[in-house]
Amino acid sequence: MRLMNKFIIANASLLLCILSVPNILARSSRSSGGDLENNNTQIKAIKSDRNLASVTFTTDSPFRIFTTSEAKESCNLHETAKERLDAQGFTKILCPFGVLILGDSDYPDDGLKYGANIIANILDNNNDGIVDDADVLSQLAQKKQLGHGAVLMCGSTEAKEQKEDFFDDIFSYSFSCQTYEMFAVESIFKAIMFEEIFHLIHQ
């Protein structure tokens, strides 16, 4: 607990970012000249669109997307974890500083890369390429050990994201992205992703 408190204090600026999330959501609701009804109509249309797995933005990222086989070495993924991920369809893996962010085969690559960038920026707040708190990273990163490490699981649909429950014995804990209904609303997608990653790291 003292370790997490230390980390939160050291990253006080990030807490301010989290506090701004409601404002981001409010600004999104006021888009289209402040017409909330038009915004709600847009969201309903997104929910009814079968082709949900695409985003309206592109992401430059130094982190590449690995297959589960590649992640065994590149991300220190345990073999049992690989087999479970394959079985449940989570075949896209990024691991900034060894922390996993996963997507199913239909989840948009640019959304995953955005999430990976956020993880890296929170862990390395001054962007010098070195994690600010090695003790925190030790709890989050994969070490080829079952029951160790945190993971953010991103499903392209609600049903796929609920498969998070299949991994309770594989990782220390997990969070879901909860972005599957907001792929076409960039500001809301990014606000949700940021919030879930913040909770993942400060659990």
Side-chain angles (χ1 to χ4, degrees):
M1 181 62 70
R2 285 182 296 177
L3 174 62
M4 286 303 170
N5 288 338
K6 170 187 171 184
F7 188 64
I8 292 173
I9 293 171
N11 290 278
S13 61
L14 294 171
L15 290 173
L16 294 176
C17 292
I18 280 294
L19 292 175
S20 70
V21 168
N23 293 330
I24 294 173
L25 297 176
R27 285 198 299 272
S28 177
S29 295
R30 291 195 298 269
S31 62
S32 302
D35 189 343
L36 183 59
E37 182 177 352
N38 285 344
N39 190 67
N40 288 338
T41 301
Q42 181 188 20
I43 292 173
K44 289 178 181 177
I46 293 166
K47 290 181 178 180
S48 64
D49 187 350
R50 292 186 178 184
N51 186 24
L52 289 175
S54 62
V55 291
T56 58
F57 58 90
T58 58
T59 304
D60 292 326
S61 176
F63 306 107
R64 60 164 290 196
I65 297 176
F66 297 108
T67 65
T68 53
S69 295
E70 293 170 332
K72 286 176 59 181
E73 295 303 321
S74 297
C75 302
N76 289 323
L77 189 68
H78 191 280
E79 173 64 27
T80 301
K82 174 201 175 298
E83 293 172 356
R84 190 78 57 86
L85 289 170
D86 285 337
Q88 299 303 325
F90 283 86
T91 56
K92 297 180 179 181
I93 302 177
L94 295 88
C95 51
F97 295 115
V99 181
L100 296 185
I101 175 170
L102 313 174
D104 66 71
S105 58
D106 293 325
Y107 198 90
D109 292 356
D110 285 301
L112 291 172
K113 290 178 181 178
Y114 177 78
N117 288 352
I118 294 298
I119 291 172
N121 287 337
I122 293 178
L123 291 175
D124 175 21
N125 204 16
N126 60 0
N127 295 317
D128 65 354
I130 301 172
V131 171
D132 299 332
D133 194 320
D135 292 332
V136 170
L137 181 64
S138 178
Q139 299 301 314
L140 298 174
Q142 294 300 300
K143 298 180 179 179
K144 287 195 174 181
Q145 299 174 4
L146 287 179
H148 182 86
V151 59
L152 185 71
M153 307 198 70
C154 301
S156 57
T157 65
E158 182 177 11
K160 290 180 179 179
E161 200 146 280
Q162 288 175 346
K163 292 184 177 182
E164 176 188 8
D165 295 339
F166 286 95
F167 298 91
D168 288 346
D169 60 333
I170 300 295
F171 306 111
S172 295
Y173 63 90
S174 63
F175 274 80
S176 57
C177 287
Q178 301 184 39
T179 53
Y180 49 85
E181 289 184 341
M182 291 299 163
F183 291 133
V185 185
E186 179 179 352
S187 60
I188 300 180
F189 175 95
K190 289 183 175 180
I192 294 171
M193 180 72 82
F194 185 95
E195 182 179 6
E196 294 307 314
I197 290 172
F198 187 89
H199 292 318
L200 177 82
I201 293 175
H202 293 91
Q203 169 70 13

